[in-house]
Amino acid sequence: MKLTAEEALATARATLAVADRAPFAALHAVMPRSTVELARAVRERGVALAEADDIAAYLVRVVAALRFERLDRFDENHAHVTGRAFPEIDYRGEAMTWQSQQRDWTPLGVPDYKTRAHIHAYFVAAEKLPHWAAVYRPRGKMAAVR
């Protein structure tokens, strides 16, 4: 993540604003990058604080159930989309665009990554893709996540 000094200060303020919330503290212990992006989503992208708490608690349950061998990679990749609408996602350097991703994922119940329900729909569908197992090496299944 490359930020200007002003963006870094705003990011720090967003993170500090939620630092004392239990769901964010629990998420930070396992997915620090996603925690920061979720805090930014509340401050900068219109995600309601209650929804962000729900997303944070959900992501902690995902991590516990799937027991990723490559949790750091999962955190890095998920932070890229956390709390964003498709046009807000930077796909530079990847063989895709936000338009192609929106076209692929919206019919699967993923119009954005701003709610727990949408993120869950994404994980359930993504789990079936070959890269999911190869990149993250989960030892559990999404069926165990509630």
Side-chain angles (χ1 to χ4, degrees):
M1 170 185 339
K2 295 183 181 185
L3 303 173
T4 65
E6 185 176 304
E7 290 169 331
L9 185 57
T11 297
R13 287 184 177 134
T15 304
L16 287 171
V18 297
D20 63 343
R21 302 185 70 78
F24 277 84
L27 181 60
H28 186 264
V30 294
M31 294 179 70
R33 289 178 181 103
S34 294
T35 304
V36 170
E37 288 304 323
L38 189 56
R40 290 182 73 196
V42 171
R43 188 174 187 113
E44 300 170 16
R45 299 183 193 108
V47 174
L49 186 55
E51 185 68 44
D53 280 342
D54 194 29
I55 291 168
Y58 169 76
L59 291 173
V60 170
R61 292 192 306 272
V62 168
V63 168
L66 274 65
R67 304 178 322 275
F68 297 103
E69 284 183 33
R70 293 184 171 166
L71 178 57
D72 59 331
R73 184 58 161 238
F74 181 74
D75 183 25
E76 182 178 334
N77 289 351
H78 183 67
H80 179 66
V81 300
T82 301
R84 286 181 165 85
F86 283 99
E88 299 166 329
I89 301 170
D90 181 2
Y91 286 109
R92 282 180 294 191
E94 299 182 46
M96 60 188 77
T97 64
W98 71 261
Q99 292 94 335
S100 68
Q101 290 299 290
Q102 184 177 43
R103 195 171 33 255
D104 292 346
W105 289 103
T106 299
L108 299 174
V110 188
D112 59 39
Y113 299 92
K114 292 185 169 194
T115 71
R116 181 207 42 82
H118 297 164
I119 293 169
H120 180 73
Y122 171 70
F123 289 162
V124 168
E127 179 181 47
K128 298 170 186 160
L129 300 174
H131 84 275
W132 179 271
V135 173
Y136 307 129
R137 296 186 185 162
R139 291 178 223 126
K141 297 287 185 185
M142 282 302 300
V145 179
R146 298 288 163 232

